[in-house]
Amino acid sequence: DVPYDAKRDFTYVVNIAEVVFAVVVAANSPFKTWSELLSFGRANPRTVSFGASPGLRQSAHVFMLEVMRREKLDWQPVGYPGGMSAINDVLGGHLTFAVDTVASAASLARGGQLRLLAVTTEQRLRTWPLVPTMKELGYPLTIDSPIGIGGPTGLSEPVVRSLHDAFKFAIEQPSMLALFEKLDQSPRYMDTAEFNQYVKRSEVEQKELLTQYGFAK
């Protein structure tokens, strides 16, 4: 229930990146792979809980609902407003796993406190080449969560073009690409027309998913 219309109330300028999500467990978890977690979850469905950031009814939660539907699982979702809250509860043993951003989990994973079981992208990440995608594991699913630049409705065409060109130039620079890699983010350029088409398509797809799970208004 939001006080705006996604298509009517914004001017979409350029998409620059996408947020990458992963399935993560604590490093001391008995689960070394997704298949181990899945086997345990099938045998002990009521004992499995997972953290979903940034909250219920959003990307991570809906993604895992789709997995649960396909596998006929009954796991308990727990919503969190931010990534570190969910990750802290994974580390504390209060959650079996979390579906959270790689940016939130990466430093702890590299420090030996977390383990990435899978990523929810189309392809494996260059920074985590040994971590499989959920698609590789048999699920034709991804979390599509782009980061773009927009403004209020009615921005003039010269302003839109100027902003587009500036941000496109920025994301092509080696320093920016290095920053993306450092943060385990993926650059994802869409020009103004592509970005607007994405918004229109995504609104339809997301409404279908939200309706399927009883979340749509």
Side-chain angles (χ1 to χ4, degrees):
D1 188 11
V2 294
Y4 59 83
D5 181 281
K7 290 186 294 186
R8 183 191 64 215
D9 295 338
F10 300 96
T11 299
Y12 294 91
V13 176
V14 59
N15 198 75
I16 59 175
E18 64 178 319
V19 180
V20 179
F21 284 79
V23 177
V24 301
V25 297
N28 60 5
S29 164
F31 311 119
K32 303 294 193 297
T33 65
W34 167 258
S35 63
E36 292 177 354
L37 172 58
L38 182 60
S39 295
F40 175 84
R42 284 171 172 160
N44 306 274
R46 300 285 179 167
T47 67
V48 175
S49 61
F50 65 92
S53 298
L56 299 181
R57 306 181 184 183
Q58 299 198 52
S59 298
H61 181 209
V62 174
F63 176 85
M64 192 50 59
L65 286 178
E66 278 285 284
V67 172
M68 290 162 59
R69 181 181 67 83
R70 291 166 185 269
E71 296 288 358
K72 297 180 173 59
L73 301 169
D74 185 17
W75 295 352
Q76 179 62 44
V78 182
Y80 289 84
M84 288 312 301
S85 299
I87 286 173
N88 285 337
D89 279 356
V90 169
L91 293 172
H94 307 299
L95 295 172
T96 311
F97 69 98
V99 181
D100 215 322
T101 65
V102 175
S104 294
S107 62
L108 291 170
R110 292 191 175 98
Q113 295 168 273
L114 287 177
R115 179 182 304 118
L116 276 60
L117 299 186
V119 292
T120 65
T121 50
E122 287 281 349
Q123 306 291 334
R124 292 193 184 199
L125 302 182
R126 193 167 74 174
T127 49
W128 296 93
L130 300 181
V131 178
T133 68
M134 289 296 282
K135 292 189 76 170
E136 289 179 77
L137 299 174
Y139 307 93
L141 307 169
T142 60
I143 293 180
D144 194 14
S145 188
I147 301 174
I149 303 299
T153 187
L155 281 183
S156 69
E157 194 277 334
V159 170
V160 170
R161 185 171 63 249
S162 178
L163 288 170
H164 166 274
D165 292 350
F167 278 99
K168 182 177 186 295
F169 174 82
I171 64 175
E172 292 171 345
Q173 303 312 301
S175 58
M176 191 66 180
L177 294 173
L179 180 61
F180 279 138
E181 185 163 328
K182 179 180 178 181
L183 297 175
D184 293 281
Q185 298 278 112
S186 296
R188 182 182 177 186
Y189 167 70
M190 284 187 268
D191 66 21
T192 301
E194 291 172 317
F195 197 12
N196 278 277
Q197 287 301 312
Y198 172 85
V199 170
K200 293 176 183 178
R201 184 175 67 253
S202 182
E203 186 178 53
V204 173
E205 294 170 351
Q206 294 299 319
K207 186 173 182 179
E208 289 174 354
L209 271 178
L210 293 174
T211 300
Q212 177 179 331
Y213 289 108
F215 298 153
K217 296 292 285 187

